[in-house]
Amino acid sequence: MKGLNPFSRISASPTRPAAGKPKEAAFDVTSLVNGPFGEADEAEEGITAPLDEKLRQAYFWIVNHAVISPHYDVEYNLSAPQPIQFGDSQTPLYLPTDQSYSSFILLPLLTFAARRKCLFIGGPGRGKTASALLMGLLGGYSPKEVRRAMQHGHPQMTVADLLGNPMPMDLMQAEQESDIRISWRRWLNMRVKIVDEYNRIPTRTQSALLTVMGDNYAEMFNQIHECPPAAWYLTANDDQGGGTYPVIEALKDRIDVVVQALPFNPRFLDELLLRIEEGVDPADCLPDALQFSEAEMDQMERSIRAVTLPADLRQRLEFFASQFEFSEYSGQQFEYKSKDTSRLAGVPRHQLAMLEDGRDRLADLGCQTRNGLSVRSLMSLIVYAKAMAFFRGNTEVELNDLTQMLPFVLHSRLFADADAPFFQQPENAALLSDKIGWLRHLFQLSCAEFERQGRHRKDEVAELKAELDEGLEGVSDKQCRKRLEQIERALHQMAAGNKLSGAVHDDAMTLKYLHQRYSNYQRWLSSQG
Amino acid sequence: MKSEWLAHYLTRQADPLNQAYRLARQGDPVQFASAFGRFVQQDLDSLLASLDHWSTANKAALCETAYQCGLTLTRHGWLRPGQQPVTDRLFQQLMPTWLAPYPEAAPRLLTQLLNALSHLPGPGQRTGLLDHWHCCLPTPDDTPDALLMFSWMAGLPQYRDAALHALHRHPDWLETLALGDPQAFEHPWWQGSTLGWHSAPIHLGASHWLGGDFTARPRLLIAPGQTLVQAGHECWHLYIDAFGQTLLPTASHHPMLLPVPECKRLPTALAPLLQESEPPRQCLERRHDWIVSFHDSYALRVIPKTGEQP
């Protein structure tokens, strides 16, 4: 009775028409035999659908049939949306003018496509585990397989529980460690890995998990088990250390995105009622056409990596990232003027803040955070921006892809400084608890500053760096001297015209690097006679 | 029930069938249950009873498709009093005769015919298609051509060009339907040797926006081989002939798109036909008709050229 299951139906019409090639004909005669009673060639279309279309079909199937999520918080607009103001706080509600998405479904799906690591946070019973389960089904596993492979964190979980057990007979008879065979747990070989309530796992077991997550292998008794590339889903009721054990920082840093389960809207109680009355679990009804084979997952990851990030967007991202690590009074030497220096030394932030008298602490974005951005977080951001562009059927990342993905990637990586003057403003107080809103706002402020400084029109440091990237081969002594002069002139201009900020600091460090490369080259040229 | 096989099948498959029903139901549950129950007892039962000689697998496949189609029919209102006779006729008279020789292809044929019928605006047009269908009873291979031809004749002029090609492939149907020379259908206002010419002007839209097709005064535009109508931000491709008219939404950025120039008075040939109407805004003369827009009205008028012979 496969055909009778309404959950198993997927639309044959394109999920995002603008993403496809425009049709030349005003209509298609084959549309006459397709319609509300079913598609004549549904099965064939399912097989040949491009992977981005298939991914969107999966998204819409989950949104329409599996997870009741009427939240469209990842907004896209073709034209400026008109805000509708609500309440005394005049909170605007925007009606997006382009296809928009629910982050709770979208981010896990992008994690699946890019094979990264996603953490679901939120109170109990909000669908975190159910969403992770659906991602396992998309990977081609049966509901039973996914449920059995799911690792449920608990305070007594041992490394053996997580990874596997040595063969008892080998333990008795082995003369050396390498003779002990390990019965590895089956979940290690899956392409979708789920760890439920990971913050209830003891610290020692977390370290073993870190090795699997970070380096894709498991180790016991000197035996190594290589795991296939996989999408990871972890769940936690609380992201602030409210689990049984504190989560080790390195494990947290391996997580690429954090998605918050939004509250259930009681207006959709009728759908819950229907599921109860009919005893239906949508997880059992995922259409076969939406499952991705291993080859398709490989291809999808390659396609995502092939999406281009335009230079203009890269420069915006560079500018944004340069704002946060800089701390003028954390170090004496230029290179050590970073928040990490004072953090490692245990110097309280407010002491450093008292020393600052030059810069506008309200306008400087770096003052809003306690830390800077790690390299891993920037890599994750680029991957998710590319995955988002791929999902929307584009071959190039758009600014809004970055704007929308950034808050979810930096959610647990960039921390707000509650003492910052920005958060003392009444209109910004809510942003302390709304991390997604704050991070999105932060990026928008950064983009506005980027444009105000005219960096999108002229960026001398980028030009100088591009010149070096072309290579030093064939560069004459004269050219080298000329470029060194240019670099020194640029540094002097920078020092004269600006207060020392994060972006200026990074530009100065870049110019110092260029200066070193050219001066070393020049010395080599001289030695050649 | 007339079909013992269906009764057993419904009992055996009660769980998935009930589940499919409950997930598909919408609106007033009592009315939905009543309409769908009637469909199963009369239409589905008749169909399966008449095909009792088929193998169990073929009957099950058709029954599964027909059951799901029945739920869609109920949701789309095809089992309401005004439309019920067409559905009854389809399942109780036409399907048993037509599908009987094709047990393997039956589910696909049923779906295709229902989909084609769903494009027609009302029961009148659907009846028209079924009349033609009943006379010709196409084979599975000929079904796409039959769908094109009879849908066009039932009121879907957008399929005209494709249908004309199909027409030439099936002179036997023209003979069965007494439609005469296929060449004559090249003229858009010819309806066949029985009905002859369509000569009455056709009105599209209304005198004001309320209840009409257009939310602003329509303007005529032309591009090579196309006539478009623009009203406000919307644009349509106009398809019209003796069998019906359709406005298909389209983009208004064709590279060769030109507005039809405004006119102060109508051509002499049209004056007697539009004597009492309001002042015209545009008058587009095409090979076989005129299309007129107006300064104040949210309507268009299409006047077939008469007096021609096929």
Side-chain angles (χ1 to χ4, degrees):
Chain A
M1 298 305 291
K2 190 179 162 193
L4 279 174
N5 190 344
F7 279 128
S8 69
R9 293 192 155 222
I10 46 173
S11 169
S13 52
T15 52
R16 186 171 151 70
K21 288 179 185 172
K23 285 192 173 180
E24 296 201 355
F27 71 95
D28 183 351
V29 287
T30 56
S31 65
L32 187 64
V33 292
N34 291 332
F37 296 93
E39 310 299 327
D41 45 1
E42 193 173 345
E44 287 79 4
E45 283 189 10
I47 290 165
T48 55
L51 288 173
D52 61 312
E53 174 66 17
K54 189 172 170 180
L55 198 64
R56 286 193 296 276
Q57 283 180 341
Y59 170 83
F60 285 106
W61 183 87
I62 294 172
V63 166
N64 294 333
H65 297 301
V67 175
I68 305 164
S69 177
H71 306 282
Y72 286 85
D73 53 327
V74 178
E75 293 177 1
Y76 277 79
N77 293 294
L78 291 170
S79 53
Q82 292 300 314
I84 302 165
Q85 315 279 357
F86 281 85
D88 295 339
S89 60
Q90 291 291 291
T91 306
L93 172 84
Y94 294 98
L95 296 176
T97 54
D98 195 6
Q99 193 174 85
S100 296
Y101 312 97
S102 170
S103 63
F104 189 58
I105 315 296
L106 177 70
L107 268 297
L109 206 58
L110 297 184
T111 303
F112 174 81
R115 291 202 291 220
R116 309 298 283 199
K117 299 167 188 76
C118 171
L119 169 66
F120 290 102
I121 55 168
R126 297 201 174 191
K128 303 187 294 295
T129 314
S131 289
L133 175 79
L134 286 167
M135 299 303 139
L137 302 182
L138 290 180
Y141 301 105
S142 70
K144 208 173 270 183
E145 280 177 304
V146 181
R147 286 192 185 104
R148 285 175 185 170
M150 193 182 291
Q151 300 302 298
H152 298 281
H154 59 84
Q156 279 76 42
M157 193 177 201
T158 62
V159 176
D161 290 338
L162 187 75
L163 303 180
N165 288 292
M167 295 289 186
M169 193 177 72
D170 291 356
L171 277 178
M172 300 297 291
Q173 295 177 349
E175 291 183 355
Q176 51 191 358
E177 265 192 334
S178 58
D179 293 340
I180 303 171
R181 287 172 299 164
I182 309 290
S183 167
W184 298 105
R185 300 284 309 278
R186 272 169 52 194
W187 76 282
L188 293 171
N189 289 323
M190 292 183 72
R191 285 175 281 125
V192 176
K193 297 186 171 73
I194 304 171
V195 183
D196 201 16
E197 303 203 50
Y198 87 123
N199 53 349
R200 298 189 68 216
I201 299 176
T203 309
R204 186 160 181 272
T205 315
Q206 280 187 30
S207 300
L209 181 63
L210 173 66
T211 313
V212 186
M213 272 178 69
D215 302 322
N216 242 9
Y217 74 90
E219 185 178 5
M220 279 187 93
F221 290 94
N222 224 11
Q223 309 276 334
I224 302 291
H225 178 80
E226 293 288 345
C227 305
W232 283 76
Y233 299 94
L234 301 100
T235 75
N237 287 338
D238 181 359
D239 194 35
Q240 302 301 316
T244 312
Y245 291 94
V247 178
I248 53 179
E249 284 297 318
L251 190 61
K252 269 189 177 176
D253 196 47
R254 291 298 187 286
I255 293 166
D256 293 294
V257 281
V258 178
V259 190
Q260 186 184 342
L262 293 169
F264 179 73
N265 184 339
R267 281 282 185 187
F268 292 81
L269 202 61
D270 56 340
E271 293 193 27
L272 285 186
L273 183 67
L274 187 74
R275 290 181 187 189
I276 293 166
E277 287 177 353
E278 310 307 337
V280 175
D281 183 355
D284 296 329
C285 311
L286 183 85
D288 295 344
L290 294 184
Q291 294 192 331
F292 288 81
S293 67
E294 193 173 348
E296 283 179 320
M297 286 182 75
D298 289 342
Q299 176 58 44
M300 196 155 53
E301 197 201 8
R302 279 198 297 274
S303 304
I304 287 172
R305 280 192 278 117
V307 171
T308 54
L309 177 70
D312 171 49
L313 291 191
R314 199 196 65 232
Q315 283 173 302
R316 279 171 195 261
L317 189 56
E318 286 168 1
F319 183 73
F320 173 76
S322 68
Q323 313 274 335
F324 305 110
E325 190 57 66
F326 175 71
S327 171
E328 189 167 0
Y329 294 97
S330 287
Q332 181 64 36
Q333 195 179 332
F334 215 81
E335 278 81 356
Y336 288 88
K337 288 180 179 295
S338 73
K339 288 174 184 168
D340 213 33
T341 306
S342 53
R343 187 184 68 85
L344 290 169
V347 179
R349 286 193 315 280
H350 67 269
Q351 277 188 15
L352 295 170
M354 281 164 62
L355 294 173
E356 299 207 18
D357 53 358
R359 61 177 172 167
D360 180 353
R361 284 179 50 78
L362 188 63
D364 194 320
L365 301 184
C367 293
Q368 293 183 34
T369 71
R370 286 190 271 138
N371 62 328
L373 291 175
S374 68
V375 176
R376 195 176 282 123
S377 58
L378 288 171
M379 287 170 74
S380 300
L381 179 54
I382 291 169
V383 168
Y384 274 84
K386 286 183 172 216
M388 188 67 223
F390 171 79
F391 178 80
R392 285 172 59 77
N394 299 331
T395 54
E396 199 175 87
V397 176
E398 295 171 353
L399 178 60
N400 208 22
D401 296 330
L402 268 180
T403 312
Q404 295 300 338
M405 289 300 104
L406 182 136
F408 300 99
V409 174
L410 302 185
H411 183 279
S412 294
R413 285 167 157 158
L414 198 60
F415 299 102
D417 183 354
D419 300 327
F422 175 81
F423 294 109
Q424 310 305 319
Q425 307 284 315
E427 68 271 21
N428 299 331
L431 294 176
L432 263 181
S433 53
D434 173 14
K435 286 194 84 171
I436 299 292
W438 168 59
L439 289 163
R440 200 171 278 149
H441 184 62
L442 202 61
F443 186 63
Q444 283 163 348
L445 286 176
S446 167
C447 286
E449 181 62 18
F450 178 85
E451 282 163 22
R452 193 193 66 76
Q453 292 185 15
R455 283 174 178 253
H456 56 306
R457 286 192 293 273
K458 180 158 179 64
D459 187 345
E460 194 179 6
V461 178
E463 287 167 13
L464 286 166
K465 188 167 176 289
E467 216 167 33
L468 177 72
D469 290 341
E470 284 172 15
L472 287 169
E473 202 171 339
V475 175
S476 67
D477 185 51
K478 190 181 169 189
Q479 282 174 311
C480 199
R481 264 205 314 277
K482 192 180 161 195
R483 289 187 194 178
L484 279 166
E485 280 168 19
Q486 265 184 303
I487 291 168
E488 286 166 21
R489 194 167 53 244
L491 274 166
H492 282 298
Q493 279 173 353
M494 214 178 274
N498 288 296
K499 290 201 182 300
L500 192 51
S501 66
V504 171
H505 178 260
D506 282 355
D507 282 352
M509 296 305 302
T510 308
L511 289 175
K512 183 177 173 183
Y513 159 80
L514 298 180
H515 192 274
Q516 264 298 297
R517 292 286 305 273
Y518 281 119
S519 52
N520 286 343
Y521 177 69
Q522 195 184 30
R523 268 192 295 278
W524 178 78
L525 276 181
S526 309
S527 71
Q528 299 298 302
Chain B
M1 289 189 107
K2 286 186 281 182
S3 169
E4 202 174 316
W5 179 88
L6 179 63
H8 282 134
Y9 179 83
L10 295 176
T11 314
R12 259 196 333 274
Q13 300 286 349
D15 284 346
L17 290 172
N18 283 336
Q19 181 173 308
Y21 164 77
R22 283 167 185 157
L23 291 170
R25 76 182 174 194
Q26 62 181 33
D28 183 337
V30 176
Q31 276 182 9
F32 195 92
S34 156
F36 186 68
R38 190 181 172 283
F39 169 79
V40 172
Q41 284 175 356
Q42 297 190 10
D43 297 336
L44 191 60
D45 187 35
S46 280
L47 178 63
L48 268 299
S50 61
L51 301 172
D52 201 44
H53 58 284
W54 279 10
S55 72
T56 304
N58 289 331
K59 278 189 282 191
L62 179 64
C63 185
E64 187 178 304
T65 305
Y67 188 92
Q68 190 67 56
C69 289
L71 290 167
T72 311
L73 290 169
T74 317
R75 283 205 304 269
H76 285 236
W78 288 31
L79 300 173
R80 288 191 195 130
Q83 308 207 28
Q84 180 77 45
V86 183
T87 311
D88 287 347
R89 180 184 171 196
L90 183 66
F91 279 86
Q92 294 176 28
Q93 295 172 28
L94 182 65
M95 291 286 181
T97 324
W98 177 46
L99 295 179
Y102 318 114
E104 301 281 340
R108 175 172 56 86
L109 296 176
L110 171 65
T111 309
Q112 287 184 344
L113 180 56
L114 284 172
N115 279 332
L117 287 169
S118 74
H119 289 83
L120 294 165
Q125 285 91 343
R126 285 179 205 141
T127 306
L129 189 147
L130 295 187
D131 287 342
H132 290 142
W133 206 268
H134 210 110
C135 295
C136 300
L137 293 178
T139 65
D141 288 344
D142 288 339
T143 296
D145 279 352
L147 285 170
L148 271 176
M149 270 180 60
F150 303 146
S151 298
W152 160 55
M153 289 179 170
L156 298 179
Q158 65 268 40
Y159 295 109
R160 176 183 171 78
D161 290 344
L164 285 178
H165 283 103
L167 198 71
H168 291 288
R169 291 194 288 269
H170 300 281
D172 50 325
W173 292 346
L174 290 174
E175 199 177 317
T176 309
L177 298 171
L179 291 173
D181 179 11
Q183 296 292 341
F185 284 95
E186 298 294 336
H187 195 296
W189 299 103
W190 176 248
Q191 302 174 93
S193 47
T194 314
L195 293 171
W197 291 103
H198 180 106
S199 54
I202 291 170
H203 301 263
L204 288 169
S207 58
H208 53 84
W209 63 269
L210 196 65
D213 292 308
F214 311 114
T215 53
R217 277 178 285 278
R219 210 161 61 100
L220 293 166
L221 306 160
I222 47 168
Q226 297 178 2
T227 303
L228 288 93
V229 182
Q230 192 174 37
H233 296 298
E234 291 177 286
C235 195
W236 297 270
H237 195 148
L238 173 65
Y239 295 92
I240 189 160
D241 67 5
F243 296 108
Q245 61 275 338
T246 305
L247 289 162
L248 280 188
T250 185
S252 58
H253 45 72
H254 191 288
M256 307 276 284
L257 200 62
L258 288 171
V260 173
E262 300 214 352
C263 69
K264 288 187 176 165
R265 46 187 299 195
L266 290 172
T268 326
L270 288 185
L273 288 165
L274 294 174
Q275 263 179 349
E276 292 174 14
S277 65
E278 57 192 307
R281 182 182 175 193
Q282 295 164 293
C283 180
L284 171 66
E285 181 172 7
R286 304 198 301 178
R287 189 173 164 208
H288 299 294
D289 46 39
W290 288 276
I291 308 176
V292 184
S293 71
F294 302 94
H295 277 289
D296 301 320
S297 171
Y298 288 68
L300 292 174
R301 199 158 301 175
V302 182
I303 302 121
K305 289 184 179 174
T306 54
E308 298 182 41
Q309 290 302 314

